[in-house]
Amino acid sequence: MTSSVRVLGIDPGLTRCGIGIVDVRADRSATLVHVGVARSDPAAPIEVRLAAIAAGIRAAVDAHAPEVVAVERVFAQHNRQTVMGTAQASGIALLVAGERGLPAATHTPSEVKAAITGYGSADKRQVQAMVARVLRLDALPTPADAADALAIALCHAWRRPLGPVGGGAALTPAQRAWAQAERRARS
Amino acid sequence: MTSSVRVLGIDPGLTRCGIGIVDVRADRSATLVHVGVARSDPAAPIEVRLAAIAAGIRAAVDAHAPEVVAVERVFAQHNRQTVMGTAQASGIALLVAGERGLPAATHTPSEVKAAITGYGSADKRQVQAMVARVLRLDALPTPADAADALAIALCHAWRRPLGPVGGGAALTPAQRAWAQAERRARS
């Protein structure tokens, strides 16, 4: 691995699919590369909608060459009405990764919250505020799906080399320093 | 529409994805074009598995040029352990249709059973036996996923121009004749 890793985060959705790309260095500092959403027309047939989502994700991959793809995990028991579309969109995101030879991973919403804010029950706004702070953005990325995609990308990069944030005794000195900085940033 | 329609049926799955292609004429008679399965290694990462399924479906589309794609509908409430993989595979099938400019449709398992056998609570073996009879096959297609894909393709073709089988008073004379032929074939 180079000294930084470029991560594509995907917040899967059929109407709006969040796409966020960040470069994350070994010291956990991060830079925004790209943020946006792939959209599809809710009135269009499902096959056309999924093709639009795939095209949007492929365009971001081709433009920015991420090294790894992280997708928010979808649960069958949540939001039954929309879960199938969300599951299909997550499948499309994973497919694009596989077809480009990129490794992919999924993270649960609470893993993302814990990695970004230090606790798994943080609310969406706290996550978004932390993302904006870490990436030194003047404003919260909008729509929320785009900010969520950045959070997923950061979560993946931070969990991989260093393990979850806030693990207490298991933390290295560098992790402890980071956790303290995060607590200061939140307070 | 020409005098026959070529339908690709997909029984979505991650380990085995059934692929069946049939030509169906206006008189509801049908001919087998292709039957098989796209497989993926359960030990492989999800993104590699989805890419393998996509490649298998695309190969069948490229080789046999279906005019329409029919996919069995996945429900969130069934088989929670595997439903996400099945939903993702169904998304891949619909995506391939959308990317090739083919119209797609989904049908529930009970719609398929009703269309093929005349009743929605038929068991799998009855459906497969009817598929083999309609397509004049010497043996049931195996694995079951392949036979199911043929049933989905037939269901789609039969529902589209003529409506559901066995509707009683709403049937045209041709439909009534077909329903009678089906009852004879089952008896």
Side-chain angles (χ1 to χ4, degrees), chain B residues 54-74:
Chain B
I57 298 172
R58 287 199 186 107
V61 169
D62 291 343
H64 302 292
E67 296 159 78
V68 57
V69 178
V71 182
E72 186 159 301
R73 195 175 298 167
V74 182

Side-chain angles (χ1 to χ4, degrees), chain A residues 117-187:
Chain A
T117 71
Y119 46 106
S121 56
D123 68 25
K124 250 184 189 306
R125 240 195 105 73
Q126 291 173 302
V127 173
Q128 290 173 6
M130 191 68 192
V131 166
R133 210 168 292 182
V134 167
L135 295 174
R136 297 170 302 282
L137 307 177
D138 293 331
L140 296 184
T142 56
D145 316 82
D148 290 346
L150 291 172
I152 294 154
L154 288 171
C155 163
H156 183 74
W158 288 349
R159 282 171 63 90
R160 271 299 173 83
L162 297 172
V165 172
L171 293 182
T172 65
Q175 286 176 306
R176 218 170 296 125
W178 176 262
Q180 283 167 1
E182 283 184 321
R183 277 193 292 273
R184 278 197 304 274
R186 283 202 304 275
S187 64

Side-chain angles (χ1 to χ4, degrees), chain A residues 29-53:
Chain A
S29 66
T31 311
L32 176 68
V33 174
H34 170 79
V35 63
V37 289
R39 295 173 193 273
S40 79
D41 177 0
I46 178 70
E47 68 275 15
V48 173
R49 301 187 70 183
L50 290 168
I53 298 299

Side-chain angles (χ1 to χ4, degrees), chain A residues 47 58 88 90 94 99 104, chain B residues 47 58 88 90 94 99 104:
Chain A
E47 68 275 15
R58 288 200 185 106
Q88 290 173 334
S90 79
L94 293 165
E99 290 183 338
Chain B
E47 67 275 15
R58 287 199 186 107
Q88 290 173 334
S90 79
L94 293 165
E99 290 184 338

Side-chain angles (χ1 to χ4, degrees), chain B residues 26-141:
Chain B
D27 67 359
R28 295 178 64 119
S29 66
T31 311
L32 176 68
V33 175
H34 170 79
V35 64
V37 290
R39 296 174 192 272
S40 79
D41 177 359
I46 178 70
E47 67 275 15
V48 172
R49 300 186 70 182
L50 291 168
I53 298 299
I57 298 172
R58 287 199 186 107
V61 169
D62 291 343
H64 302 292
E67 296 159 78
V68 57
V69 178
V71 182
E72 186 159 301
R73 195 175 298 167
V74 182
F75 291 98
Q77 56 269 39
H78 295 152
N79 300 320
R80 274 190 195 163
Q81 281 195 308
T82 59
V83 72
M84 282 298 115
T86 308
Q88 290 173 334
S90 79
I92 300 307
L94 293 165
L95 172 71
V96 170
E99 290 184 338
R100 293 291 200 272
L102 301 174
T106 58
H107 297 289
T108 65
S110 58
E111 283 171 354
V112 174
K113 289 173 182 174
I116 302 298
T117 70
Y119 47 106
S121 56
D123 68 25
K124 249 183 189 309
R125 243 197 101 73
Q126 291 173 303
V127 173
Q128 290 174 8
M130 190 69 192
V131 166
R133 210 169 292 184
V134 166
L135 295 174
R136 295 169 304 282
L137 307 177
D138 292 331
L140 296 184

